[in-house]
Structure formats: structure tokens, C-alpha cells
Amino acid sequence: MSEKKTNRRDFLFTATYAVGAVGAGAVIWPMIDQMNPDASVKALASTEVDVSTVNPGKTITVLWRGKPVFIRRRTPEEIAEAKSVKIEDLKHPEKDEDRAKNPEWLVMLGVCTHLGCVPLDQKGDYNGWFCPCHGSHYDTSGRIRKGPAPTNMEIPEYKFVDTNTIKIG
Amino acid sequence: MSEHEYTPKSKVGKWFNDRLPLLTLANHLTDYPTPKNLNYWWTFGGILTFCLITQIVTGLVLAMHYIAHADMAFQSVEHIMRDVNYGWLIRYIHANGASMFFLAVYIHIFRSLFYGSYKSPREVIWIIGIIIYLLMMAAAFLGYVLPWGQMSFWGATVITNLFSAIPLVGEGIVTWLWGGYSVDNPTLTRFFTLHYLIPFLILGLVVLHIWALHVPGNNNPIGIDIKKPSKDTVPFHPYIVIKDGFALLMFMIVFAFFVFYTPNILGHADNYIEANPLVTPAHIVPEWYLLPFYAILRSVPDKLLGVIAMLSAILILAALPWLDTSKIRSAVFRPLYKQFYWILVADVLILGYVGAMPAEGLYLLVARIATAYYFLHFLVVLPVLGFKERTTPVPLSITEPILGGSPNLAAVKKRDSFKDQ
């Protein structure tokens, strides 16, 4: 055998492997995708909350998609504190105006962006939230200021249906 | 496998053995030549086999009464504890059995580290062992989630969130692991399935681990190659069987002490509170056997790097046969390594302690130093030591120091050739 020539048999082998790979993929994908969120989980995608009883300086926690959402009616001092922070001092630079469209209401996922614990209200070095698991400190706008969390607490999609009702999702 | 031909005595035995050589295998296992100087640190392999079988048997029984559903799991565990006949006993054996399993595996691993059992020609045994250890950690974590208490839920949340540190695909992977947008019922049912599967994977790997062990044979406290069989060896049965059996009895006393006198001391009180996705417990700690790695995770201030450091701390063990450049196996003949070995033991214990403490102030500083030292030991100390250390003379055989001479002529030649240089 001096030189290897592509013959009929090589072509058949390659074609067989290719068809086999497609077939294997077609079988494996349903096995993987069945673990993704199912239709019943996706159906619970939005929730409406009545916030008429929430006074300034109070936070309520509601469950949305199995996760806590903090709805805080901020005091004027907290708003002023959040607005006065220099954007350069932030690990994840976001303006307070972009996080709370109506500055009185801060609506955010109550999930620490480090490893998913629920931070404690009115704790930590920045008068905002403190995560007890690995010591992340958040300010009054829910922005990460100190500790291992990489980003600010997430703002979910929400809107005011009327003055007293917030629709999350 | 067997070095000599074996023929069953009975006609039926011979007939069967010719068709499926199970009796040859049994003969190999009983006659298996074992170094006669094995000490009690070598009995933990047998103890670990006992632990695995205990977990599988008690686990099968628990699965007959447990209900893997977010609304019922917690109640069904209390039902096992209060209503099921001997349910309390079976669950306490299973829960404490996990801790006993890890206690034994840590002794087993540190025995290998001291006597150099991971070195050539036993690298494959060692790597299979590391895979078993990883699967044990996965099984322990998945099992801890099943009672659906507060620690179960938040432990599951924190550990699955480790994957979110992966750039780009991290969030997608976490959602896929959860089967939703948080740890919930779909997560619980799949964790139960996997918790049921892993022990059988471990069982298969244990067979490979022992198979790979029986190719070169056991290492021994002086870490030399021995001739098998010879006057340096004894048959596995009855010598090692009896010794392992005695050690197992001692181990079972410790096991029984935990099960009957302090069954909850190794657990966490918060896990007797049902899972609540709105409240994280004030202080989350994993089970004691994962604390050193948890300390490493927390000592790195960056999320992705913290996860990488924690995984590397485990995976670095797989590279150990190549990181340790010393030709001498046993620490008995390595005066410097022996000291570094005990520093490493202390370092891991310190990491375990700070892993249980809050990640702030002095604890965080100690965790950072201990983490740095852990990697220093494997990446710098071990490779350098192999070249710099002056080892003490290694005997030619187990009997040589007492009887003189050696049954192993190859070893004599090798030493003589070293003398000439």
C-alpha cells in the first residue's frame, strides 16, 4: 500500500458516521431539553401585587417565579443617598434613575447575585441590604458595594397597572 | 490476574469454572499476596466498602417511604422518623453513615498521601479514587437536599448557583439544572433520581479501583516494591480479612456512638425547619466534610475565580502523581516531606474550621493564607522537594532490616548500581 486513495468504502463509512451522529443528536437533545423549565413552570410568569398598604420605609417581599421580589417604598433620605453616590465608585455602574423609574418605589429580585441567597433588609454598611451567606453589602438602590457579588441585584420587568398595583413579569 | 493456575477440586466446580471462572476469581481474592507489614491505616479500604453497602441498603429502605415532592418531602421524612417501624434508626444510620463514609475516605486519602500510594505504578488506582471521591461529594450534596429543610433548600441554591459563574452559558445551565427559575419541585425530583443513581456508579468504580489495585498489588508502609508471593507477603485470607474485620468493629463502635447517642450533632438544626424560599438562614454552612473547600470558595473575592479555586483544590489531587517528583514513596524515608505532610494536614483542618466561621475579619485572613498554602504545597513544595530532599536509606525488603538479605534480587542490583555512581 503506497498511497491511500479515497474509495467507495471510505465514502460509505463517512456517510454512515454522519447519519449516525445526526441520529444520536436527535435522540440526545430531547433527553437534555426535558430538564429545562416545562410549560407549567413558564405559565406562572407574571404576578400582580397590591402595594396600597406599604408605607415609606417598609419593604414587602412577594414570590415571583419561585424567587422573592423586594418591593420597597423608599424614604426621601434613602433616595437622596442613592442619588448622591458617584457612578465611578460603583463596581457595577448603574444610575439610581435607571433602577427605580419612580424613585419612591424600588422593585428588584431579592436574590444575591453571588450565589442566590436572600439578602437581609436594612442591614450592612450602606443602609441597604446585606447577604448573610458570603457577606455582600448592597446600598439603598440595591447596588453591590462590597463583598463577592459581581453585579447589582436584578430589576425584573414590571409596571404600575394603577397607582396601587404593580405587575411583575 | 492470578499468577498461578487454579483448578477447582470438585467435578461440578470444575464444570462451572470452565464456563464462568468465578471460582478462579474467588481463589485470586483469597490467595492475593499482601505485604505483611500493612498497618491499620490500610484497613480503611474495607471499611469504605462497608460504608458504601450500608448507604445503599439503608437508602433503598428509606426510598420505600420517602416522597420526592416539594409539598410532601419534609413531611415524609418526619413520617419516617415518627411512624415507620425503626424508621428513625434507618434514617440516622443513613445520615450519619454519610459522615462516617467521609471520615473513612479522608483517612484513606491521607494514608495515600503519607505513604506515596498514588505514585507509579498506582496512578490509575489513585485517579479512579479521586473520581469516586467527587461522586461521593455529589451524592452527599444531592442527598442533603432531599429532606427539603431550610439547609437543604439554601444549600441547593448556593451550590447550583456556582454554575452561574461560568461566562455566557452560566445562567442557562442553572435554569436547566433547576428545571425552573429557582430551586423547586422539578429540582427535587431530579436530585432524588441522581442521588439514587450515583451509589451504583460508585460501586462500579470501586470494582475498577480494586481491579487496578490487584495489578501492581498493595503499596506498604515502607513503600518499596516487593516480590509476590514471597516471605514479604501473606495471603489476603485469613490474615488481612481478620485484621480488616477487627478494624471494622472498632469503626462500627464510633459509628454506633453517633447513631445512638448524638445522631444530630453532625447535622444542622435549621434543617428541621421546612424549606422557605423567602428566608435565607442567617448562617449557611455545608456539612463538615465539605468545609475546607467552602473556605477556599469564600476566601477568593471574585465569583468566577472563587469557583475555579474550589474546583482546582479537588482536581489538583488528580495531578498529584506527576506533581510529586520524589522517587521514594513512603514518608518514612523522607524527613522533609514528613514535616510538610503534617503542615498540610493542619492546613486542611484550619480550612475546615474557618469554613464553618463567618467569612469576615480574622477568619477571612486565615482562610486566605491557608488557601494559598494549600496550593503552594502541591504546586511548589512537592515538585521542588523531589529534587532537593536528602532521603534516608530504603530497605530492600520488608524482612531485610531483621533477617538481612533480600528475596528481591532486582532491588539488590538496583541499590548496588546506585552505590557505584
Side-chain angles (χ1 to χ4, degrees):
Chain A
M1 288 253 282
S2 55
E3 200 178 311
K4 203 167 161 23
K5 237 174 66 189
T6 307
N7 55 29
R8 231 172 108 83
R9 182 160 289 190
D10 291 328
F11 172 77
L12 283 172
F13 277 142
T14 310
T16 310
Y17 291 144
V19 172
V22 170
V27 174
I28 288 165
W29 176 245
M31 292 295 163
I32 293 170
D33 193 43
Q34 54 83 23
M35 280 175 70
N36 272 318
D38 61 34
S40 71
V41 171
K42 283 180 184 158
L44 302 169
S46 79
T47 184
E48 288 196 8
V49 192
D50 176 20
V51 293
S52 57
T53 55
V54 184
N55 295 319
K58 285 267 172 287
T59 306
I60 59 165
T61 307
V62 295
L63 207 57
W64 174 66
R65 288 177 156 188
K67 280 179 181 166
V69 174
F70 294 153
I71 302 177
R72 180 165 180 85
R73 190 163 182 185
R74 297 190 295 181
T75 60
E77 299 85 63
E78 287 171 357
I79 299 169
E81 197 179 330
K83 286 194 188 300
S84 67
V85 177
K86 272 192 239 147
I87 203 89
E88 308 89 78
D89 295 345
L90 294 170
K91 186 172 174 183
H92 177 196
E94 272 187 321
K95 283 189 199 144
D96 187 55
E97 298 91 281
D98 297 336
R99 293 180 57 79
K101 297 221 170 61
N102 176 350
E104 202 178 357
W105 293 96
L106 178 65
V107 180
M108 66 181 178
L109 281 187
V111 176
C112 180
T113 55
H114 182 224
L115 294 172
C117 295
V118 179
L120 304 169
D121 202 0
Q122 297 294 287
K123 288 260 165 62
D125 296 353
Y126 298 88
N127 303 318
W129 284 266
F130 171 70
C131 182
C133 291
H134 309 95
S136 292
H137 298 253
Y138 295 89
D139 66 12
T140 57
S141 186
R143 291 174 296 200
I144 180 66
R145 302 298 293 275
K146 197 173 124 184
T151 58
N152 303 335
M153 278 193 268
E154 205 182 314
I155 305 291
E157 226 172 83
Y158 69 92
K159 62 175 184 226
F160 279 86
V161 180
D162 55 59
T163 44
N164 286 328
T165 313
I166 297 177
K167 187 183 176 195
I168 307 167
Chain B
M1 277 160 75
S2 204
E3 271 138 48
H4 59 280
E5 283 299 310
Y6 167 76
T7 335
K9 286 189 188 78
S10 76
K11 241 184 172 162
V12 180
K14 193 177 175 312
W15 179 88
F16 183 80
N17 204 50
D18 286 344
R19 283 150 183 84
L20 178 68
L22 271 186
L23 292 169
T24 302
L25 178 66
N27 175 259
H28 162 80
L29 293 175
T30 50
D31 280 4
Y32 174 65
T34 323
K36 65 181 181 185
N37 60 342
L38 294 191
N39 56 33
Y40 276 104
W41 299 115
W42 259 265
T43 60
F44 282 86
I47 287 169
L48 283 161
T49 312
F50 165 81
C51 287
L52 178 62
I53 291 165
T54 304
Q55 290 307 87
I56 289 178
V57 172
T58 52
L60 282 172
V61 175
L62 288 172
M64 293 180 188
H65 303 279
Y66 170 78
I67 302 166
H69 189 284
D71 296 337
M72 287 177 272
F74 189 81
Q75 271 72 19
S76 76
V77 171
E78 285 309 301
H79 162 73
I80 289 169
M81 292 302 288
R82 290 151 198 255
D83 303 337
V84 174
N85 300 332
Y86 293 103
W88 60 272
L89 176 66
I90 294 155
R91 177 168 174 262
Y92 277 153
I93 292 175
H94 196 72
N96 285 285
S99 280
M100 292 302 113
F101 207 152
F102 276 96
L103 174 68
V105 92
Y106 282 127
I107 295 173
H108 195 62
I109 291 171
F110 275 99
R111 187 270 288 155
S112 282
L113 293 182
F114 189 83
Y115 294 112
S117 302
Y118 49 85
K119 290 186 197 183
S120 173
R122 297 184 180 82
E123 302 94 322
V124 172
I125 313 172
W126 171 255
I127 289 169
I128 293 171
I130 298 297
I131 298 170
I132 293 173
Y133 174 52
L134 281 169
L135 284 176
M136 277 175 65
M137 289 200 278
F141 160 68
L142 295 168
Y144 196 60
V145 175
L146 302 185
W148 212 239
Q150 272 289 67
M151 278 294 162
S152 303
F153 184 89
W154 291 102
T157 301
V158 168
I159 299 296
T160 48
N161 261 305
L162 293 177
F163 292 92
S164 72
I166 304 168
L168 300 175
V169 293
E171 296 292 336
I173 289 175
V174 174
T175 306
W176 177 72
L177 288 172
W178 287 340
Y181 304 105
S182 63
V183 173
D184 210 332
N185 193 53
T187 325
L188 177 59
T189 50
R190 67 191 55 179
F191 276 23
F192 180 54
T193 309
L194 295 172
H195 182 69
Y196 211 123
L197 166 72
I198 289 177
F200 297 100
L201 297 181
I202 293 177
L203 191 63
L205 284 166
V206 166
V207 172
L208 294 183
H209 195 59
I210 296 171
W211 185 1
L213 168 70
H214 280 229
V215 175
N218 290 71
N219 184 29
N220 63 80
I222 56 173
I224 56 164
D225 292 324
I226 53 169
K227 194 168 177 280
K228 292 173 298 261
S230 72
K231 57 180 179 171
D232 276 350
T233 67
V234 289
F236 186 76
H237 182 76
Y239 296 95
I240 303 298
V241 169
I242 295 298
K243 188 163 184 156
D244 277 359
F246 179 70
L248 179 60
L249 280 175
M250 294 293 118
F251 185 79
M252 281 160 88
I253 292 173
V254 178
F255 198 147
F257 172 79
F258 280 105
V259 170
F260 292 106
Y261 291 91
T262 61
N264 288 306
I265 199 167
L266 299 169
H268 200 294
D270 275 0
N271 222 25
Y272 282 102
I273 303 168
E274 193 171 1
N276 179 356
L278 292 179
V279 182
T280 305
H283 186 50
I284 290 199
V285 277
E287 294 278 81
W288 68 267
Y289 39 80
L290 302 176
L291 286 173
F293 301 111
Y294 191 62
I296 291 173
L297 168 76
R298 294 195 306 182
S299 70
V300 181
D302 182 83
K303 181 171 166 177
L304 179 61
L305 292 179
V307 174
I308 290 173
M310 184 180 70
L311 290 176
S312 318
I314 304 167
L315 295 178
I316 203 169
L317 292 172
L320 188 56
W322 296 276
L323 289 172
D324 186 345
T325 51
S326 176
K327 294 270 179 293
I328 305 296
R329 290 198 193 99
S330 174
V332 170
F333 308 107
R334 300 183 62 189
L336 282 176
Y337 173 72
K338 204 190 279 177
Q339 293 173 36
F340 282 110
Y341 170 85
W342 289 111
I343 296 172
L344 179 74
V345 172
D347 189 64
V348 172
L349 291 175
I350 289 167
L351 279 172
Y353 174 73
V354 293
M357 295 293 132
E360 53 200 31
L362 188 64
Y363 294 125
L364 190 58
L365 181 71
V366 172
R368 284 183 177 157
I369 295 169
T371 298
Y373 183 78
Y374 181 89
F375 286 105
L376 207 68
H377 175 90
F378 290 108
L379 294 176
V380 180
V381 173
L382 284 187
V384 172
L385 218 51
F387 299 108
K388 297 283 174 202
E389 187 175 39
R390 287 179 71 92
T391 54
T392 56
V394 176
L396 293 172
S397 76
I398 294 167
T399 47
E400 191 218 2
I402 303 127
L403 302 175
S406 170
N408 190 348
L409 292 172
V412 178
K413 255 190 201 154
K414 204 169 152 196
R415 183 161 77 175
D416 290 344
S417 72
F418 273 120
K419 269 183 196 155
D420 298 339
Q421 283 169 5

